[in-house]
């Protein structure tokens, strides 16, 4: 299980104590990350970015899906990959 670190300041100038909090990943979180990556790739088209630059957010979304599946035991379904596949098709690139 992935741990989130919470830092609490002991005074105004130094950060001292750390404690870990559990992270609970939901299906909505995964879908949100995917759509944000697809949106980032789409926004790059308005600034005439090279295809490799537009591909970067899509690759990041794929890596995030694989990592979440490994670390959290999340089942990745076709509904998660469909927006990515559509974005790759729009770029006319192989996945």
């Amino acid at each position: 299980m992935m741990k989130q670190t919470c830092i609490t300041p002991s005074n105004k100038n130094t950060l001292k104590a750390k404690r870990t909090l559990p992270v609970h990943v939901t299906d909505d979180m995964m879908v949100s990350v995917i759509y944000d990556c697809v949106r980032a790739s789409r926004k790059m088209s308005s600034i005439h970015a090279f295809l490799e630059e537009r591909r970067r957010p899509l690759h990041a979304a794929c890596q995030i899906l694989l990592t979440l599946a490994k670390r959290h035991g999340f089942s990745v379904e076709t509904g998660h990959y469909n927006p990515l596949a559509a974005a790759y098709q729009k770029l006319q690139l192989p996945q």
Side-chain angles (χ1 to χ4, degrees):
M1 180 182 281
M2 187 178 187
K3 298 285 183 180
Q4 180 181 1
T5 304
C6 179
I7 301 172
T8 56
S10 60
N11 63 25
K12 290 183 181 179
N13 297 328
T14 49
L15 298 174
K16 201 171 191 179
K18 286 187 179 182
R19 62 184 176 140
T20 58
L21 302 171
V23 176
H24 303 285
V25 178
T26 64
D27 188 53
D28 291 335
M29 289 172 145
M30 286 178 60
V31 171
S32 177
V33 168
I34 293 166
Y35 281 127
D36 287 340
C37 289
V38 170
R39 188 178 304 126
S41 176
R42 209 179 311 137
K43 290 251 184 201
M44 287 183 177
S45 68
S46 63
I47 58 173
H48 305 293
F50 292 109
L51 288 178
E52 193 60 38
E53 292 173 6
R54 290 186 63 195
R55 197 188 295 183
R56 251 185 240 146
L58 302 177
H59 286 323
C62 288
Q63 290 301 318
I64 291 168
L65 281 177
L66 293 174
T67 303
L68 287 175
K70 280 183 191 175
R71 287 188 185 169
H72 296 283
F74 220 80
S75 64
V76 181
E77 300 170 0
T78 56
H80 298 119
Y81 283 113
N82 282 343
L84 290 172
Y88 275 113
Q89 280 184 337
K90 183 171 179 155
L91 291 175
Q92 297 176 350
L93 297 172
Q95 300 169 5

